[in-house]
């Protein structure tokens, strides 16, 4: 059986692409296999001492707060390493350098699956003459390219949409040259979303076991400090009122470590009954309208695009933000609705029919009211949900269920906002198309109209010359020009064509004025690319970014 090799280079978070490798692993079914060589990079690099922590110990982390994470299980890179160990036996290679570092940390390791410890083959420093910085991981695994080729390419295209600040180079090299595949996903911007912040638990989102864990881990001495500092949206005055409602056996100064199981149950019951302010979305890191719009334009090249980023909503004490994009037309886009789903900026490929985004787009949006034909038009629907806790359904975490009214409502509202933006553009485009059609129709009948008019004028000129009929002075002047052949069929056709052009120009000018387009001439501007030594400050807006050079 022929073996094939595939190399991928990117500049994005390691975990997200390693999760992609894990996704390939999880869906291998046929005996037919090919060998994949994956090489991926991120921009910032890793601290040398963290190689073993990141890549060897399975389920070694503990979260003391809430944070938006890009992966689904936290096992992406580790599972890729384990699969490499099991399928090919080859180790993983990691190269990393921080910005300004004059050496590259190189490590080749695999994992002792039975003892869950790393087996380090090489760990050394290498010269960094080019001052490269970033992180690169290379792993060789077996996979089923024939069956899952479309899924892999579809995943990478979605990654290129949601991360326009990333650069991918996808190569598939086969023993048969005509089967080689090379696809480049270029970077459009280097403006990355802000790093998500770790936040404390909202009292409405905790369960009994979590409260017990927080009590065991807290550094606060008494109950008042515990409530005030271990949860969001509990101020001192509210904490004192909550303690008063818990019962006479509670007091603000009582040691939090002395709480009994019954008292902890009472705290949990009160959290469920009390009304707290909703958490804000400040801790979240959405892609942003700027990046989402760039990604859609870069990958799909649509005729029209609209984006929308909603405000923060809350589900069971967890904040979430829904971003949406809508495109019409484009390159390599099928007719009908093409739905792209993202959870914490990770593409969702499977279980699409049960997902809240798919069901909302198919059943809850009246596309015809927005002048969109969901059967014939090439429509791209992009919805990204970010949250400290994505309510996935199923053990595979492949889709967001349709049973959560808060998320379903936010998704519908975001898509509708994009539809409203596109409707005005579509209406103006339809008007422009109608104007062009009128011009074509008028131009089409110019020869026939000129011939008929000229024949009538010649007949009138003959009657006037034989003095059988008299006309007004203005008409007589025209008839004399016809007789003198100053007005011919060709000159009449030219005048009619000029009139059609003038009418079309006036209508186009009116349309351009309404659309905000000016008549000022445009010139090509060539801007020199920024060097590595340039320093700049980014001023962010939902729709654009200003960059100030220092």
């Amino acid at each position: 059986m022929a073996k094939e090799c595939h190399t991928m280079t990117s500049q994005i978070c390691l975990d997200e692409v390693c999760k992609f490798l894990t996704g390939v692993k999880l869906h291998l079914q046929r005996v037919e296999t090919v060998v994949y060589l994956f090489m991926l990079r991120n921009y910032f690099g890793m601290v040398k001492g963290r190689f073993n922590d990141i890549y060897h110990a399975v389920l070694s982390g503990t979260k003391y707060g809430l944070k938006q994470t890009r992966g689904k299980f936290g096992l992406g890179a580790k599972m890729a390493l384990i699969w490499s160990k099991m399928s090919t036996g080859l180790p993983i290679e990691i190269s990393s350098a921080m910005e300004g570092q004059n050496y590259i940390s190189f490590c080749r390791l695999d994992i002792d699956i039975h003892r869950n410890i790393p087996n380090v083959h090489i760990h050394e420093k290498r010269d960094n003459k080019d001052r490269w910085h970033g992180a690169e991981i290379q792993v060789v695994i077996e996979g089923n390219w024939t069956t899952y080729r479309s899924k892999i390419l579809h995943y990478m295209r979605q990654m290129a949409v949601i991360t326009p600040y990333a650069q991918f180079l996808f190569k598939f090299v086969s023993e048969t040259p005509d089967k080689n595949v090379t696809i480049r996903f270029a970077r459009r911007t280097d403006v990355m979303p802000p790093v998500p912040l770790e936040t404390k638990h909202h009292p409405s989102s905790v369960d009994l076991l979590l409260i017990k864990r927080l009590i065991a881990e807290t550094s606060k001495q008494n109950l008042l400090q515990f409530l005030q500092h271990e949860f969001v949206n509990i101020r001192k005055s509210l904490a004192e009122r909550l303690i008063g409602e818990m019962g006479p056996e509670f007091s603000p100064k009582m040691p939090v470590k002395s709480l009994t199981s019954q008292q902890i149950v009472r705290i949990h019951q009160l959290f469920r009954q009390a009304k707290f302010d909703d958490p804000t979305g400040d801790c979240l890191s959405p892609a942003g309208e700027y990046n989402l719009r760039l990604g859609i334009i870069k990958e799909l090249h649509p005729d029209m695009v609209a984006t929308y980023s909603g405000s923060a909503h809350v589900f069971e004490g967890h904040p979430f933000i829904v971003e949406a994009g809508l495109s019409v037309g484009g390159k390599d886009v099928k007719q009908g609705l093409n739905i792209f789903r993202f959870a914490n900026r990770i593409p969702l490929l499977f279980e699409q029919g049960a997902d809240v985004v798919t069901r909302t787009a198919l059943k809850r949006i009246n596309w015809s009211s927005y002048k969109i034909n969901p059967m014939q038009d090439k429509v791209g629907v992009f919805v990204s949900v970010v949250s400290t806790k994505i309510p996935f359904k199923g053990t595979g975490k492949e889709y967001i269920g349709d049973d959560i009214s808060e998320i379903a409502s936010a998704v519908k509202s975001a898509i509708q906002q994009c539809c409203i933006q596109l409707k005005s553009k579509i209406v103006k485009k339809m008007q422009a198309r109608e104007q062009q059609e009128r011009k074509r129709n008028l131009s089409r009948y110019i020869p026939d109209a000129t011939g008929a008019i000229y024949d009538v004028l010649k007949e009138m000129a003959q009657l006037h010359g034989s003095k059988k009929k008299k006309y007004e002075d203005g008409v007589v002047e025209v008839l004399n020009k016809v007789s003198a052949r100053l007005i011919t069929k060709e000159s009449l056709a030219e005048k009619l064509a000029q009139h059609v052009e003038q009418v079309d120009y006036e209508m186009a000018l009116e349309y351009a004025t309404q659309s905000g387009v000016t008549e000022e001439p445009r010139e090509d501007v060539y801007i020199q690319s920024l060097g590595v030594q340039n320093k700049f400050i980014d001023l962010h807006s939902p729709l654009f970014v200003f960059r100030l050079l220092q």
Side-chain angles (χ1 to χ4, degrees):
M1 183 179 301
K3 296 290 183 179
E4 298 171 323
C5 181
H6 152 225
T7 304
M8 179 182 66
T9 310
S10 68
Q11 292 189 354
I12 58 177
C13 174
L14 292 176
D15 279 345
E16 68 190 28
V17 184
C18 286
K19 176 56 186 160
F20 156 62
L21 304 183
T22 309
V24 174
K25 177 196 78 65
L26 290 174
H27 294 87
L28 289 179
Q29 295 174 352
R30 295 174 55 187
V31 177
E32 178 190 6
T33 60
V34 293
V35 176
Y36 293 90
L37 171 63
F38 288 96
M39 182 172 65
L40 45 136
R41 297 174 177 171
N42 76 0
Y43 189 70
F44 299 104
M46 296 176 292
V47 179
K48 177 182 176 182
R50 294 209 57 205
F51 286 179
N52 295 343
D53 295 336
I54 294 174
Y55 291 104
H56 88 273
V58 178
L59 296 176
S60 61
T62 302
K63 294 182 179 178
Y64 295 94
L66 289 174
K67 189 176 182 180
Q68 173 190 328
T69 55
R70 298 211 60 187
K72 298 176 184 176
F73 298 97
L75 298 174
K78 301 175 184 66
M79 290 301 292
L81 175 55
I82 292 174
W83 187 248
S84 171
K85 177 73 173 179
M86 295 175 61
S87 61
T88 65
L90 297 176
I92 195 171
E93 293 185 355
I94 309 159
S95 299
S96 179
M98 307 294 286
E99 188 172 4
Q101 200 167 270
N102 60 2
Y103 65 90
I104 297 174
S105 297
F106 175 80
C107 183
R108 181 183 295 129
L109 61 86
D110 57 18
I111 185 172
D112 188 326
I113 298 176
H114 301 289
R115 297 194 303 168
N116 192 25
I117 60 174
N119 180 18
V120 181
H121 301 276
I122 299 176
H123 198 175
E124 62 186 11
K125 293 182 179 180
R126 296 182 175 181
D127 291 337
N128 188 13
K129 298 179 180 179
D130 298 331
R131 295 292 178 174
W132 170 82
H133 64 92
E136 180 179 287
I137 169 179
Q138 180 171 298
V139 58
V140 182
I141 66 172
E142 279 188 325
N144 189 344
W145 168 253
T146 304
T147 301
Y148 295 102
R149 165 179 174 161
S150 61
K151 292 290 185 183
I152 294 171
L153 297 181
H154 185 56
Y155 180 92
M156 295 189 65
R157 191 182 193 190
Q158 292 196 55
M159 280 301 309
V161 169
I162 201 67
T163 57
Y165 48 84
Q167 177 174 300
F168 302 85
L169 176 60
F170 181 94
K171 289 185 178 180
F172 183 85
V173 182
S174 172
E175 291 181 350
T176 307
D178 58 352
K179 292 184 179 179
N180 292 348
V181 176
T182 300
I183 301 176
R184 181 181 299 276
F185 299 90
R187 184 197 297 120
R188 181 67 183 270
T189 177
D190 57 0
V191 178
M192 298 182 64
V195 177
L197 303 176
E198 186 169 354
T199 184
K200 298 173 184 177
H201 294 275
H202 191 273
S204 299
S205 67
V206 297
D207 55 23
L208 196 59
L209 293 177
L210 182 55
I211 295 176
K212 290 181 178 180
R213 197 194 80 180
L214 292 175
I215 290 174
E217 296 170 353
T218 185
S219 61
K220 305 304 176 184
Q221 300 299 319
N222 57 54
L223 181 58
L224 179 64
Q225 293 175 342
F226 172 73
L227 295 178
Q228 185 179 350
H229 296 285
E230 296 296 340
F231 301 94
V232 296
N233 294 356
I234 297 184
R235 300 176 299 276
K236 183 177 180 180
S237 58
L238 179 57
E240 292 172 344
R241 184 156 60 88
L242 289 173
I243 295 173
E245 295 180 4
M246 290 177 187
E249 67 271 20
F250 293 88
S251 67
K253 298 297 183 181
M254 68 181 301
V256 68
K257 303 287 187 181
S258 67
L259 290 172
T260 64
S261 297
Q262 292 78 8
Q263 290 174 325
I264 295 176
V265 170
R266 175 57 186 151
I267 294 175
H268 180 243
Q269 291 175 344
L270 187 60
F271 280 174
R272 290 297 182 188
Q273 297 169 0
K275 177 65 177 176
F276 301 94
D277 293 337
D278 291 336
T280 65
D282 297 341
C283 60
L284 301 178
S285 176
E289 284 191 66
Y290 176 77
N291 279 334
L292 183 58
R293 180 181 291 267
L294 282 181
I296 295 172
I297 294 174
K298 177 173 72 77
E299 293 304 319
L300 273 68
H301 303 282
D303 300 327
M304 289 178 285
V305 62
T307 54
Y308 174 79
S309 181
S311 57
H313 300 268
V314 178
F315 166 67
E316 292 185 349
H318 293 278
F320 70 91
I321 292 176
V322 175
E323 297 177 298
L326 197 62
S327 66
V328 176
K331 183 181 68 174
D332 299 331
V333 182
K334 298 178 181 178
Q335 279 189 336
L337 296 179
N338 299 266
I339 298 175
F340 300 79
R341 304 168 292 138
F342 306 94
N344 281 350
R345 292 189 276 122
I346 290 293
L348 302 178
L349 294 185
F350 305 100
E351 303 289 345
Q352 180 169 336
D355 191 87
V356 61
V357 177
T358 304
R359 292 195 173 185
T360 299
L362 293 178
K363 299 180 179 180
R364 303 188 183 106
I365 304 296
N366 184 8
W367 296 100
S368 59
S369 64
Y370 301 105
K371 309 298 182 184
I372 297 174
N373 188 330
M375 302 301 294
Q376 297 181 358
D377 293 337
K378 297 179 179 180
V379 183
V381 181
F382 307 81
V383 176
S384 172
V385 181
V386 295
S387 177
T388 52
K389 182 182 179 182
I390 298 291
F392 290 111
K393 296 294 182 181
T395 56
K397 296 186 176 182
E398 299 292 356
Y399 71 102
I400 302 173
D402 193 36
D403 57 339
I404 302 171
S405 59
E406 293 90 342
I407 294 182
S409 176
V411 169
K412 179 181 178 181
S413 176
I415 296 176
Q416 285 178 328
Q417 289 297 326
C418 294
C419 289
I420 292 172
Q421 296 178 42
L422 281 189
K423 182 179 179 180
S424 61
K425 298 179 182 179
I426 292 173
V427 169
K428 291 178 180 178
K429 189 174 182 180
M430 291 172 62
Q431 292 174 347
R433 190 183 300 120
E434 291 173 358
Q435 292 173 4
Q436 292 176 354
E437 187 66 25
R438 282 196 296 269
K439 178 185 176 181
R440 281 197 295 267
N441 291 336
L442 289 173
S443 300
R444 185 188 308 165
Y445 293 111
I446 284 177
D448 295 335
T450 7
I453 294 172
Y454 188 72
D455 291 341
V456 171
L457 289 176
K458 282 179 65 177
E459 185 177 349
M460 291 174 62
Q462 290 174 359
L463 292 174
H464 176 68
S466 61
K467 298 184 179 180
K468 293 181 179 180
K469 195 167 185 180
K470 294 185 178 181
Y471 300 96
E472 297 179 0
D473 294 340
V475 178
V476 171
E477 183 181 354
V478 173
L479 297 178
N480 290 334
K481 290 183 178 180
V482 171
S483 301
R485 298 195 58 82
L486 297 176
I487 295 179
T488 62
K489 187 184 294 186
E490 291 75 16
S491 63
L492 193 58
E494 184 179 351
K495 289 292 183 181
L496 283 176
Q498 290 177 358
H499 178 72
V500 170
E501 288 289 341
Q502 181 64 26
V503 172
D504 179 71
Y505 174 77
E506 292 174 356
M507 297 179 71
L509 184 60
E510 181 182 359
Y511 169 75
T513 304
Q514 294 175 355
S515 305
V517 182
T518 65
E519 289 189 282
E520 297 177 1
R522 299 184 179 183
E523 297 180 1
D524 293 332
V525 177
Y526 299 93
I527 303 177
Q528 186 177 2
S529 60
L530 295 175
V532 180
Q533 71 277 7
N534 291 109
K535 295 182 179 180
F536 45 80
I537 300 174
D538 288 340
L539 304 177
H540 292 261
S541 168
L543 294 177
F544 49 83
V545 175
F546 286 110
R547 171 157 291 175
L548 302 179
L549 294 178
Q550 289 183 328

